[in-house]
C-alpha cells in the first residue's frame, strides 16, 4: 500500500504571505489535523470537523501540484493544521519535491519533532501565545530547535541544500507580546518574526483599516522594546491583498 | 579639518519598510544630493533644492543617533538621495557604526561604485525602471555587483561580518515590469525584490486602497511570470502604516 497523507487543500501558484519568505512564489500543501485548537486559528477547518481531509498518495499530491501549474515557482510550502503530525510519508513527499527541483518550506507550532524536519529548507516554528488558549511545551520547542540547528551546522560536511530555521509569533495583545519577549530572550540567535494577528476578515476592503491599525500598534511596540533588537514585525501580505479568502 | 557628510535627515528608531530587511529595527541616515532625478522620487527634497543639507562630522552624526535613542536597534540604514556620492568620509562613518555594534545597510541605485561598499552588511541596489525617466548604466551596475560579491566570497578568509547584496526594482507599470524581467534574467543568482511604486500619499487612510490595489496587481503579475521563480514582491511597510510622512 502506498504512503498517504491527509490533505485539506493544495493551491497555488501564489505568494508566501508570512514570515521570512514573505513575498516569495510558492505552492501550498495544507495537511489536515492538529494537536492544537487555537481560539483564533485562521485555518480551523483543518481540525474542527467542518471539512474532511483526503488521504492522498505522494503521486496524487504531486500530480495536483502539476495540474495547478508549477512553472516559475521556487517553493512548495507545507502547512496545516500541524504537518508535524505526519510521520514517514512526509519524508517521501519532501524527497519527491526536492527531486523535482523545489525548495520545501514547512510551518508548524513546534510541538512535535519529526526526523524529516532536517530535510526542510525553511522551517518556521510558531509557538502559540496566550491568546490562543494553548500552552506550548517550551522544552519540546527547544529540543526541535536544537535538533534542526545541529544539523545546519553540519551542512559543510554533507552538502545538503540551504536550510534555515525561524521563529514566528502571532501577536494579538500585550500578553502575547510579553510571551514573545520571553521567547526572544531564550532564542535570540534565531531569526524572530512578530506577526499581526487577524481573524474573520472576509473582505479586504471592509477591515483593511483594522489590520493596518493592528500593524501600527505592533510596530510601535517593537520599536519601543529595547530587549528585542533583532526581531522583525511583518503583516500577513495575503490578508492585506485578498482578505481571508481560501486558496490564494 | 574633520570629514563631513551632507545630511538631509537622521531619524529613528523605526523599522525598515522595504526590501529584504523589511520589518527590522533600524535608524536612518539620509544623505543629500543625487545623480538621478526620478520623476516619482519619494525623497525629492534630497536633491530638488527644497531643503538644504547640513555638512555634519562623523561625531555629529553619531551624537544625533545617540540623542534619538539607539537602544534595542540592530541596524543603521544609510539612504538618500544617493549615498554613493559620498567618498572617503562614508568609510569613516561605517567604521564608527561598526565599532559601536551596529550593522550597516545602504540603499543606492547602483550608478556609482565606492570602495567602502565592501564594508556594508546589507547593500540594496535599486536600478531605476523606465517610469523614472532615468536610463541606468547596466554595465556599471554589473561592475558594482561583481566587486561586492567577489568580496563576499572571501568572507571565510578575512572573517568580515555577514554581508548580503540584493536587487530591488520599483514597479509602476507594465514597462517597468518588463525591465525588471530583463534585469532578473541577467542577475538571477541575486535575491530580487519587486516593490510597489507609490507617490504623493499624504495620509494612509485616504489612499490605502490604491496602494493595496497596486500591490495586488504586481503580485498577480509576478505569480503569472514563469521566468521569475526566485523573485519576491513586497509592499513599502512604512507607507502602509504611516503613509508618506517624513521621519518614520
Amino acid at each position: 500500500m502506498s504512503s498517504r497523507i491527509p490533505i485539506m487543500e493544495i493551491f497555488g501558484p501564489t505568494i508566501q504571505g508570512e514570515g521570512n519568505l514573505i513575498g516569495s512564489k510558492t505552492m501550498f500543501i495544507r495537511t489536515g489535523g492538529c494537536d492544537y485548537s487555537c481560539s483564533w486559528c485562521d485555518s480551523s477547518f483543518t481540525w474542527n470537523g467542518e471539512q474532511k481531509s483526503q488521504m492522498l498518495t505522494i503521486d496524487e499530491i504531486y500530480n495536483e501540484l502539476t495540474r495547478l501549474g508549477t512553472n516559475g515557482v521556487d517553493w512548495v510550502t507545507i502547512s496545516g493544521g500541524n504537518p508535524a503530525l505526519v510521520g514517514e510519508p512526509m519524508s517521501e513527499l519532501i524527497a519527491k519535491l526536492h527531486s523535482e527541483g523545489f525548495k520545501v518550506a514547512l510551518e508548524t507550532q513546534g510541538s512535535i519533532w519529526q526526523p524529516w524536519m532536517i530535510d526542510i529548507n525553511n522551517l518556521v516554528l510558531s509557538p502559540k501565545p496566550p491568546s490562543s488558549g494553548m500552552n506550548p511545551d517550551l522544552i519540546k520547542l527547544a529540543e526541535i530547535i536544537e535538533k534542526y540547528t545541529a544539523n545546519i551546522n553540519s551542512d559543510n560536511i554533507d552538502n545538503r541544500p540551504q536550510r534555515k530555521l525561524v521563529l514566528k509569533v502571532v501577536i494579538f495583545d500585550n500578553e502575547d507580546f510579553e510571551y514573545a519577549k520571553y521567547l526572544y530572550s531564550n532564542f535570540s540567535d534565531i531569526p524572530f518574526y512578530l506577526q499581526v494577528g487577524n481573524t474573520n476578515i472576509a473582505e479586504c476592503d471592509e477591515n483593511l483599516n483594522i489590520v493596518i491599525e493592528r500593524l501600527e500598534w505592533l510596530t510601535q511596540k517593537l520599536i519601543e522594546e529595547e530587549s528585542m533588537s533583532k526581531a522583525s514585525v511583518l503583516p500577513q501580505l495575503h490578508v492585506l491583498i485578498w482578505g481571508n479568502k481560501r486558496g490564494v
Side-chain angles (χ1 to χ4, degrees), chain A:
Chain A
M1 205 185 95
S2 297
S3 298
R4 289 174 185 272
I5 295 177
I7 298 296
M8 231 50 190
E9 56 179 353
I10 297 173
F11 61 95
T14 187
I15 54 152
Q16 170 58 266
E18 307 178 356
N20 64 309
L21 296 178
I22 188 168
S24 304
K25 294 173 80 171
T26 187
M27 306 296 293
F28 275 94
I29 299 172
R30 192 186 295 284
T31 61
C34 198
D35 47 327
Y36 280 14
S37 54
C38 298
S39 63
W40 38 250
C41 180
D42 61 1
S43 308
S44 55
F45 64 95
T46 60
W47 52 263
N48 68 5
E50 175 190 308
Q51 184 183 319
K52 275 193 64 156
S53 61
Q54 285 187 284
M55 295 301 296
L56 299 185
T57 66
I58 307 308
D59 281 348
E60 285 168 342
I61 294 169
Y62 188 72
N63 289 343
E64 177 61 8
L65 290 174
T66 306
R67 190 190 68 78
L68 290 166
T70 55
N71 282 347
V73 180
D74 198 29
W75 288 91
V76 174
T77 303
I78 303 169
S79 183
N82 184 3
L85 289 169
V86 182
E88 183 56 25
M90 188 64 88
S91 175
E92 293 173 43
L93 176 60
I94 296 164
K96 171 70 176 173
L97 294 171
H98 280 156
S99 74
E100 299 289 347
F102 293 101
K103 289 183 280 189
V104 182
L106 189 127
E107 312 196 352
T108 176
Q109 57 262 49
S111 58
I112 298 165
W113 167 255
Q114 292 284 358
W116 49 252
M117 284 182 179
I118 61 171
D119 291 319
I120 297 294
N121 303 104
N122 196 80
L123 181 60
V124 180
L125 300 180
S126 54
K128 303 306 175 190
S131 65
S132 69
M134 301 295 108
N135 187 15
D137 178 347
L138 295 184
I139 305 291
K140 176 59 75 178
L141 180 72
E143 279 174 20
I144 295 172
I145 290 172
E146 195 182 332
K147 284 177 178 167
Y148 187 85
T149 52
N151 223 280
I152 289 179
N153 296 336
S154 68
D155 267 10
N156 290 338
I157 299 162
D158 63 6
N159 206 26
R160 285 174 191 274
Q162 189 195 339
R163 283 171 300 156
K164 187 163 188 179
L165 172 75
V166 307
L167 283 165
K168 187 179 73 177
V169 185
V170 174
I171 308 289
F172 278 86
D173 55 29
N174 286 324
E175 197 184 354
D176 289 353
F177 191 82
E178 292 302 311
Y179 180 79
K181 258 173 71 177
Y182 173 76
L183 281 174
Y184 181 90
S185 69
N186 280 275
F187 303 110
S188 61
D189 52 341
I190 309 228
F192 199 99
Y193 293 84
L194 300 178
Q195 179 174 301
V196 183
N198 95 80
T199 182
N200 295 327
I201 302 175
E203 288 295 322
C204 187
D205 287 346
E206 284 174 23
N207 292 288
L208 187 53
N209 283 327
I210 296 170
V211 175
I212 296 292
E213 276 164 28
R214 286 192 183 183
L215 180 59
E216 180 172 6
W217 169 79
L218 183 56
T219 300
Q220 208 57 49
K221 290 278 289 183
L222 178 61
I223 288 171
E224 287 163 14
E225 182 47 58
E226 297 188 356
S227 74
M228 299 178 85
S229 63
K230 292 178 190 170
S232 299
V233 57
L234 286 179
Q236 290 175 295
L237 200 49
H238 57 293
V239 171
L240 287 174
I241 300 177
W242 295 301
N244 277 357
K245 275 191 293 194
R246 293 270 295 281
V248 286

